[in-house]
Amino acid sequence: MIESYKGISPRGDLLLLRKLADNLAGKTFLHVNSTREGGGVAEILQRMVPILSSLGIKARWDIIKGDDRFFDMTKKVHNALQGYTEFIDKAMWEHHYKVNEENAAKLDLDADAVLIHDPQPAPLVSFRTGGVWIWRCHIDVSNPQRDVFKEIGTYANKFDAAIYSVSRFAGAMCPNEFIIPPSIDPLSEKNRELTIEEIAETANRLGIPTDRSVILQVSRFDRFKDPTGVIMAYRMVKKYNDCVLVLAGSPATDDPEGAEVLSEVRDFASNDPDVHILLLPPFSDKDINALQRMATVILQKSLKEGFGLTVAEGMWKGKPVIGGAAGGIPLQIIHGITGFLVHSIEGTAFRMRQLLNNDEMAARMGQHAREYVRQNFLITRQTRDYLSVWYTMLSKGKSLIEL
Ligand code: UDP
């Protein structure tokens, strides 16, 4: 399987990946998160687990289960860590722990390395047996609500290492901290090359007109992704440039607020026939791929963002992406070269018009964007980095790490 990345991923990444995998072959590597569908974490795990297996590592992916009360609480934790004010009382924290305790009794947590994704399953660390335990924080904790950060910190502290997507997120929560940005898989259904017919089929079926420029944002319906801000920017542009706006999202099982935000967005769009709000079923990867390929300009106007995989996905398709200057988006968008960073609705509208009116600039930006993703944000690089952290933790105390 890893052979298929030859000629796509940088050679050095593939070489190091192989060397690390040879050293870790036969060992068990368990990933745990809280949903199999929806959002960036599930997106990466679906692809990374088979890659790890093909490298000879016994990789497993489990999810924790919880009731509505649990996911309401963990969404509050997510919001608070990203800076919103939320009140989480002692009983809620106890429930968080209890649900994890129940999951720990059912899951097989025995592995050589365990990677726990995000705050939902963080308390599982209280039930660790052997192995290297690593906490993977995917969310934007640059300006968290302090009390919530502290509670999560009591768990983070029990891990051997913590991994963040962006250096600004590292916050002395854990003795060993690493920065590893996420990645996309160029060979997945979401990112593989599509034929013109395949793109046209999706446009037809979803009712997207192809005779005008398409502006696209793909996101869960979440306020941090600012879908109403996107509609406002589109309205400013629409006065001068005829275009259609597509907002595509799908429900994530660990995000209870999605339905409410979706209905707010629908009200806000108020029957504009050129605003297409698509609620796609989970695993609509090929349709998302096709939407990204038919777009003229891609937006990711997030106000807070972990990394923003949709940015790399759009860039990989050679599209100019306009992204909110939040979380991991500035890691991907070099302003004016691989895309545009924006801080306001007006700024977004301004950059949209600039790109809609200048095909040559849009094409050049798209080319730079694709190359930047190739060098930095492909899944082979991220797999290499995870294995490096694991190997480093096994080599602790050694002054020389042999590969
Ligand atoms: N996604 C999807 N369907 C949707 C909306 C999003 O498959 O309707 C995917 C999107 O293509 C990306 C991931 O979910 O791969 C979202 O990751 P991102 O880091 O952008 O945001 P998150 O949801 O993790 O905050």
Side-chain angles (χ1 to χ4, degrees), residues 92 129 157 278 283-284 307-308 340 364:
M92 288 172 170
T129 47
N157 210 13
L278 307 177
F283 306 115
S284 301
F307 177 70
F340 283 122
R364 187 167 14 98

Side-chain angles (χ1 to χ4, degrees), residues 38-41 43-44 78 82 138-139 182 184 190 218-222 225 248-252 278-285 288 292 300 302 304-311 313:
V41 179
E43 178 77 23
I44 296 171
H78 179 101
Q82 297 210 132
H138 292 270
I139 53 188
I184 61 163
K190 173 84 50 77
V218 175
S219 279
R220 289 178 295 108
F221 290 97
D222 178 321
K225 312 281 184 183
S250 54
L278 307 177
L279 188 64
L280 299 173
F283 306 115
S284 301
D285 291 6
I288 290 178
Q292 287 165 333
Q300 190 53 60
S302 304
K304 288 276 177 178
E305 189 55 80
F307 177 70
L309 276 182
T310 51
V311 173
E313 288 166 5

Side-chain angles (χ1 to χ4, degrees), residues 78-316:
H78 179 101
N79 290 343
L81 289 176
Q82 297 210 132
Y84 275 12
T85 306
E86 296 279 6
F87 178 68
I88 301 171
D89 63 19
K90 197 160 167 266
M92 288 172 170
W93 285 112
E94 281 167 7
H95 189 60
H96 185 218
Y97 181 83
K98 198 174 128 267
V99 168
N100 273 279
E101 189 176 30
E102 288 160 10
N103 277 281
K106 289 185 202 137
L107 295 172
D108 175 10
L109 295 177
D110 196 18
D112 294 307
V114 181
L115 201 66
I116 300 290
H117 296 262
D118 280 340
Q120 297 95 331
L124 286 180
V125 70
S126 313
F127 309 96
R128 63 182 283 180
T129 47
V132 172
W133 276 63
I134 304 166
W135 187 53
R136 181 31 161 143
C137 175
H138 292 270
I139 53 188
D140 184 340
V141 286
S142 53
N143 184 27
Q145 189 178 312
R146 294 317 301 186
D147 58 323
V148 175
F149 187 72
K150 207 170 139 224
E151 287 285 344
I152 289 297
T154 58
Y155 295 120
N157 210 13
K158 294 184 185 156
F159 286 86
D160 301 304
I163 299 174
Y164 304 87
S165 299
V166 181
S167 60
R168 264 186 318 115
F169 299 172
M173 269 183 156
C174 182
N176 297 292
E177 298 195 326
F178 295 85
I179 311 300
I180 300 181
S183 61
I184 61 163
D185 186 342
L187 303 181
S188 68
E189 208 44 23
K190 173 84 50 77
N191 297 307
R192 70 171 173 90
E193 296 298 322
L194 294 181
T195 61
I196 294 170
E197 292 75 27
E198 283 174 310
I199 299 170
E201 191 277 320
T202 294
N204 247 331
R205 185 163 31 80
L206 299 179
I208 312 296
T210 45
D211 56 346
R212 280 169 291 162
S213 300
V214 173
I215 312 289
L216 170 73
Q217 175 158 303
V218 175
S219 279
R220 289 178 295 108
F221 290 97
D222 178 321
R223 292 190 185 92
F224 289 119
K225 312 281 184 183
D226 200 17
T228 51
V230 167
I231 296 176
M232 285 192 251
Y234 150 81
R235 285 196 180 130
M236 289 177 188
V237 170
K238 181 81 175 173
K239 287 186 203 147
Y240 307 98
N241 297 67
D242 194 15
C243 56
V244 298
L245 174 67
V246 179
L247 289 171
S250 54
T253 48
D254 62 349
D255 182 358
E257 284 176 356
E260 192 184 320
V261 176
L262 173 63
S263 97
E264 275 172 29
V265 174
R266 282 197 171 127
D267 286 349
F268 197 74
S270 67
N271 299 323
D272 180 336
D274 285 339
V275 178
H276 297 254
I277 299 170
L278 307 177
L279 188 64
L280 299 173
F283 306 115
S284 301
D285 291 6
K286 188 172 156 202
D287 283 338
I288 290 178
N289 189 345
L291 286 168
Q292 287 165 333
R293 287 180 193 277
M294 76 183 77
T296 314
V297 176
I298 294 184
L299 301 181
Q300 190 53 60
K301 210 206 142 310
S302 304
L303 303 169
K304 288 276 177 178
E305 189 55 80
F307 177 70
L309 276 182
T310 51
V311 173
E313 288 166 5
M315 289 168 69
W316 181 245

